[in-house]
């Protein structure tokens, strides 16, 4: 038939030949051959459906499943292009349109056509046909506002026309893909609810805009079917477009109906999963900082992404009294809404403890551990908290005459080996020198900041600068909630002006697919190889690291790991 591509292997029979009864004068010896041909046709159809449904079952995201639906449907009905419109009738979304062989501009042209003139628009809106019946309640009838023809013969009517064809209640009708309903509610597998426009240029009464758009895009016929499942009702429509006037044969309609009987249920499951993920993602976004604070002398950048189920990785950056800055990253065990809610509670608690005693990171994490152990004994969490003093010379910074500050603040040029801050024990930083050692100037607003940090089972931060790229040697410590009483020494360091402190979650390392030791080495190598042109831009530096470590990007739907990267550049 003109306009239909032979996408399927040529069957050993046609719907008409299989459905035709053998003539009365057919010799008895020829009848077994006719039965074998029909059986071969059934096997061919079932094999085709099995292959297509198997490919659909491999899809794990709603977008991938919709694209596979379009591709498979196009091969079944013999079309080259198409689009699927997702509009769940319950109004909960998502509302989207995906094209096959159509660009965004092409879809935009189609959307300029009045909705009543589009076959998928009438399906989704349940618009009446000329005889006054609702489209989704009535078997197909000829005619429509745009000359479309609703087909109602592909199921039971076709079966009554034959004695043993593939549409007459044989093996194909009683197989596992059969989801026909007798309630007249638009069952696609029974041939109800589909809309064919076999000759758009020559059909009288068409909307002029539809005719114009069809001529511009180069299609002359369309075939539309509803997407519906018992769990969510009608949630969309799929349309396939022919280059020339044509319409699918009854066998093709029957096959696409059988395919959709399975595909609609699979899509409905992915739709619900997509909604759950969107809810968790929205909740997560609301629980994380809406924007990073502006702190004199520091530029911040953050990148984060959650896994498909939503995880408990989080970050925070908050201004503290006396011009100080608090930086935190952490991870709560588990995934899903429960982990996201626990993450929100943990982050809120850390903010409170940081305001009260942020100059002592060990005390902050000790209080957080006690809260976690008492309120959520079934969970554990990792966390890292860094307290960055304001550089000397900034109003409100410690050590500035006449300004409130933290007693005992070290002066410029004091090395990190001067001891623990807040009495939490001796700390050292893997050879990191003072601000003077790395180019900081004593006195003035450009003197190096002193940073004190403590970690509980979290990945060590990374210092990135022109003269060094090295991990901060935090002491080994168990995660929060794993021990009866958590405590570990803090670590002090003084990043030089122009250096970046990088905090991250272990999801960044796990997404590389490498063992942890090799993942740490890859991160160090990527940080050491950051071009000089982006070393002083935390946004560009973070993007460079992610492109190097994660070629598939942060939004990889196949990865279950959360990722958090927080960069603080000290001017």
């Amino acid at each position: 038939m003109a306009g239909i591509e032979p996408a399927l292997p040529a069957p050993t029979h046609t719907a008409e030949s299989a459905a035709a009864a053998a003539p009365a004068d057919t010799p008895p010896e020829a009848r077994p051959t006719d039965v074998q041909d029909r059986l071969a046709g059934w096997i061919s159809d079932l094999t085709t459906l099995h292959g297509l449904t198997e490919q659909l079952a491999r899809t794990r995201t709603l977008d991938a499943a919709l694209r596979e639906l379009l591709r498979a449907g196009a091969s079944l009905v013999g079309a080259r292009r198409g689009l699927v419109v997702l509009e769940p009738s319950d109004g909960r979304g998502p509302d989207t349109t995906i094209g096959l062989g159509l660009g965004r501009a092409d879809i935009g042209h189609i959307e300029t056509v009045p909705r009543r003139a589009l076959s998928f628009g009438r399906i989704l809106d349940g618009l009446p046909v000329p005889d006054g019946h609702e489209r989704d309640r009535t078997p197909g009838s000829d005619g429509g506002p745009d000359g479309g023809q609703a087909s109602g013969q592909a199921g039971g009517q076709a079966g009554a026309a034959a004695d043993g064809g593939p549409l007459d209640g044989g093996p194909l009708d009683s197989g596992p893909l059969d989801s026909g309903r007798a309630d007249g509610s638009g069952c696609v597998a029974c041939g109800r609810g589909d809309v064919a426009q076999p000759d758009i240029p020559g059909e009288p009464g068409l909307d002029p805009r539809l005719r114009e758009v069809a001529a511009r895009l180069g299609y002359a016929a369309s075939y539309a079917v509803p997407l519906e499942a018992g769990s969510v009702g009608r949630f969309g429509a799929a349309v396939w477009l022919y280059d020339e006037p044509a319409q699918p044969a009854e066998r093709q309609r029957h096959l696409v109906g059988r395919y959709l009987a399975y595909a609609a249920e699979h899509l409905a499951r992915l739709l619900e999963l997509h909604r759950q993920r969107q809810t968790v993602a929205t909740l997560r976004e609301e629980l994380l900082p809406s924007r990073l604070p502006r702190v004199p002398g520091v530029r911040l950048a953050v990148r984060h992404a959650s896994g498909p189920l939503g995880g408990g990785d989080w970050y925070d950056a908050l201004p503290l009294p006396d011009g100080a800055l608090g930086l935190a990253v952490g991870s709560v065990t588990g995934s899903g809404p429960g982990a996201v809610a626990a993450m929100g509670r943990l982050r809120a608690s850390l903010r409170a403890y940081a305001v009260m005693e942020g100059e002592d990171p060990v005390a902050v994490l000790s209080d957080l551990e006690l809260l976690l152990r008492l309120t959520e004994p079934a969970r554990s969490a990792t966390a890292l908290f860094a307290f960055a003093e304001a550089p000397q010379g900034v109003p409100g910074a410690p050590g500035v005459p006449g300004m409130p500050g933290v007693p005992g603040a070290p002066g410029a040029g004091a090395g990190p080996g001067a001891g623990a801050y807040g009495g939490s024990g001796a700390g050292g930083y893997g050879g990191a020198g003072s601000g003077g050692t790395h180019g900081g100037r004593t006195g003035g607003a450009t003197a190096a900041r002193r940073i004190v940090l403590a970690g509980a089972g979290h990945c060590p931060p990374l210092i990135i600068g022109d003269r060094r790229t090295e991990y901060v040697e935090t002491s080994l410590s168990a995660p929060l909630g794993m021990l009866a009483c958590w405590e570990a020494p803090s670590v002090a360091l003084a990043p030089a002006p122009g250096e970046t402190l990088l905090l991250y979650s272990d999801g960044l390392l796990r997404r590389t697919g490498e063992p942890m030791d090799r993942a740490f080495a890859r991160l160090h190598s990527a940080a050491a190889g950051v071009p000089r042109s982006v070393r002083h831009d935390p946004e560009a530096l973070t993007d460079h690291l992610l492109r190097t470590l994660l070629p598939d990007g942060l939004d990889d739907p196949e990865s279950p790991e959360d990722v958090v990267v927080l960069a603080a550049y000290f001017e």
Side-chain angles (χ1 to χ4, degrees):
M1 181 175 293
I4 299 182
E5 296 182 354
L8 287 173
T12 56
H13 73 293
T14 64
E16 291 77 11
S17 63
D25 57 352
T26 301
E29 59 272 12
R31 292 176 182 173
T33 303
D34 183 62
V35 172
Q36 291 176 358
D37 289 344
R38 292 200 299 271
L39 288 174
W42 297 339
I43 293 173
S44 175
D45 291 343
L46 288 172
T47 302
T48 299
L49 291 175
H50 174 74
L52 294 177
T53 54
E54 189 175 32
Q55 293 180 25
L56 181 67
R58 294 194 187 104
T59 58
R60 292 293 180 266
T61 64
L62 182 61
D63 183 79
L66 291 173
R67 296 186 186 278
E68 176 60 26
L69 168 74
L70 280 176
R71 188 200 65 80
S75 69
L76 289 174
V77 302
R80 187 171 63 90
R81 294 178 290 174
L83 69 156
V84 59
V85 181
L86 203 65
E87 289 186 13
S89 58
D90 57 11
R92 295 169 52 199
D95 295 345
T96 186
T97 301
I98 295 177
L100 172 68
L102 298 172
R104 290 184 177 272
D106 299 331
I107 295 176
H109 285 308
I110 293 175
E111 290 176 341
T112 63
V113 178
R115 191 174 174 94
R116 288 181 59 90
L118 295 169
S119 54
F120 68 81
R122 299 203 309 275
I123 287 176
L124 293 173
D125 296 342
L127 295 178
V129 292
D131 60 4
H133 293 290
E134 293 292 329
R135 173 71 62 189
D136 61 345
R137 297 178 187 165
T138 307
S141 57
D142 294 338
D146 58 353
Q149 177 184 7
S151 61
Q153 299 92 4
Q157 294 179 7
D163 60 341
L167 307 178
D168 63 350
L172 189 58
D173 282 320
S174 58
L177 299 178
D178 187 6
S179 66
R181 299 194 301 271
D183 58 1
S185 58
C187 170
V188 179
C190 298
R192 298 173 178 174
D194 53 346
V195 178
Q197 295 176 292
D199 187 4
I200 292 177
E203 190 70 32
L206 275 179
D207 186 282
R209 183 59 183 164
L210 174 62
R211 198 188 306 273
E212 176 187 347
V213 169
R216 176 179 297 182
L217 300 184
Y219 70 90
S222 67
Y223 178 64
V225 294
L227 301 176
E228 58 184 357
S231 57
V232 295
R234 182 161 296 182
F235 59 90
V239 187
W240 291 280
L241 307 176
Y242 299 101
D243 295 340
E244 300 177 9
Q247 63 178 322
E250 289 188 355
R251 168 179 169 267
Q252 293 172 310
R253 287 174 172 172
H254 187 76
L255 286 177
V256 77
R258 294 295 178 189
Y259 176 76
L260 289 175
Y262 169 82
E265 294 296 333
H266 181 69
L267 286 170
R269 291 191 293 269
L270 291 179
L271 176 62
E272 287 299 322
L273 181 60
H274 178 83
R275 287 172 169 176
Q276 293 175 10
R277 291 173 176 173
Q278 289 298 107
T279 300
V280 172
T282 302
L283 177 63
R284 177 184 171 87
E285 291 294 328
E286 293 296 325
L287 292 175
L288 291 175
S290 58
R291 61 183 180 85
L292 296 174
R294 293 176 178 242
V295 179
V298 182
R299 282 186 285 157
L300 301 172
V302 68
R303 300 290 184 271
H304 66 95
S306 60
L309 299 180
D313 286 13
W314 54 276
Y315 68 93
D316 206 349
L318 65 158
L320 297 174
D322 300 329
L325 172 68
L327 300 172
V329 291
S331 177
V332 177
T333 56
S335 61
V340 173
M343 173 266 290
R345 293 191 292 268
L346 202 67
R347 172 179 168 265
S349 301
L350 183 138
R351 290 176 71 91
Y353 297 143
V355 170
M356 293 187 294
E357 49 192 6
E359 69 275 7
D360 187 353
V362 171
V364 171
L365 294 187
S366 296
D367 291 343
L368 197 64
E369 190 275 338
L370 178 61
L371 178 71
L372 183 70
R373 181 157 44 89
L374 294 178
T375 60
E376 301 189 48
R379 290 191 184 276
S380 63
T382 66
L384 187 146
F385 178 70
F387 175 83
E389 297 175 351
Q392 295 185 20
V394 174
V400 178
M403 301 299 295
V406 179
Y421 193 81
S424 56
Y429 169 55
S434 66
T437 304
H438 295 286
R441 292 187 293 273
T442 60
T446 57
R449 289 177 179 261
R450 184 171 188 267
I451 299 177
V452 184
L453 61 88
H458 205 82
C459 300
L462 188 64
I463 284 285
I464 305 171
D466 293 335
R467 300 184 182 183
R468 61 172 175 172
T469 299
E470 54 193 21
Y471 287 105
V472 178
E473 295 182 358
T474 56
S475 59
L476 296 177
S477 172
L480 303 176
M482 299 293 290
L483 300 178
C485 182
W486 177 90
E487 186 171 350
S490 63
V491 175
L493 63 143
E499 291 187 329
T500 300
L501 179 66
L502 189 76
L503 283 67
Y504 54 93
S505 66
D506 61 351
L508 175 66
L509 305 175
R510 297 184 186 280
R511 279 205 185 188
T512 64
E514 301 278 359
M516 291 301 286
D517 56 342
R518 295 184 61 182
F520 276 113
R522 282 190 59 186
L523 175 59
H524 183 276
S525 176
V530 172
R532 286 185 175 271
S533 59
V534 302
R535 282 185 182 270
H536 304 288
D537 183 353
E539 298 279 352
L541 184 148
T542 304
D543 289 337
H544 175 83
L545 290 177
L546 291 176
R547 284 195 303 269
T548 305
L549 292 173
L550 308 177
D552 294 332
L554 277 178
D555 298 326
D556 182 7
E558 299 299 325
S559 176
E561 299 291 342
D562 292 5
V563 174
V564 169
V565 180
L566 177 62
Y569 173 78
F570 297 95
E571 298 177 339

